[in-house]
Amino acid sequence: MLENDNAVGELEEQLVECARLAERQVNSQFFGNRSPTRQECGEEVFADGCAVPISRAMYLGELKHTVAFQCAQQVLEQLWPAPFSIQQRYRYYPNAKFLEPVSKQEVARLIAQGCTRELWRTIEPDIVLHVDRSSLLRSVLTLDFKFPCPETNEPRWTRYREDSAYFGRTQGEIYKEALGGEAWIISPQGGMAR
């Protein structure tokens, strides 16, 4: 897709820098010139609307993703010559090998109606790089930002739990199966890795 290895290297370098920028900005906002400790990462900071506890690690991860997405949007507009998707949700049926996009409006409507069960068969990769407009359900490369807390933890794909349609599998496995292409992690400490 990109004309040469230097362009690929620059894209990778810039996206990793987006992860590092997000890490620095959010940590600085809450901890000054240091990263959170293991104990701070594990503390419950509040509960969501369903009384599910939210840890500081989860909260910080959400904030860091917001910063990283803004940065990635700018980088991809400059360096990726084809279409890309950021936080596009897809409904995926593994047995039928069927994938369909779910609009942001439909997601918002289902959440507002409390029908989150309708999102059960969905996946939401952070970034999907497409070949062209005719193949928006196919990926050249699928990327997920991971912000381990504490930073000494290894960045890794989330494994789907028992209540998931994809129980026992990892995000990376499902992304590759559903969208094709490779699936890679971007993290501030580890850079870009499978």
Side-chain angles (χ1 to χ4, degrees), residues 7 16 25 29 45 75 77 96 118 123 139 163:
V16 170
Q25 271 188 12
Q29 180 182 349
V45 289
V75 167
E77 285 173 356
E118 293 292 318
I123 57 175
S139 162
D163 60 351

Side-chain angles (χ1 to χ4, degrees), residues 65 69 85-88 124-128 142-147 171 175 186:
H65 271 82
F69 289 148
S85 303
I86 295 179
Q87 287 188 289
Q88 171 62 56
E124 187 181 32
D126 289 344
I127 299 171
V128 179
T142 302
L143 302 166
D144 246 29
F145 286 106
K146 300 293 182 187
F147 297 98
Q171 288 173 309
Y175 293 169
I186 304 171

Side-chain angles (χ1 to χ4, degrees), residues 167-182:
F167 172 61
R169 314 265 315 270
T170 67
Q171 288 173 309
E173 290 169 342
I174 294 297
Y175 293 169
K176 285 171 69 170
E177 182 179 300
L179 293 158
E182 291 295 318

Side-chain angles (χ1 to χ4, degrees), residues 3 8 12 24 40 53 64-65 68 75 82 90-91 97 105 107 147 179 190:
E3 293 181 13
V8 171
E12 179 178 338
R24 283 190 309 271
E40 289 168 331
K64 291 172 184 179
H65 271 82
V75 167
Y90 302 90
R91 194 170 279 115
K97 301 289 186 223
Q105 294 82 5
V107 172
F147 297 98
L179 293 158

Side-chain angles (χ1 to χ4, degrees), residues 47-54 111 114 116:
D48 70 8
C50 298
V52 174
I54 303 297
I111 290 171
T116 55

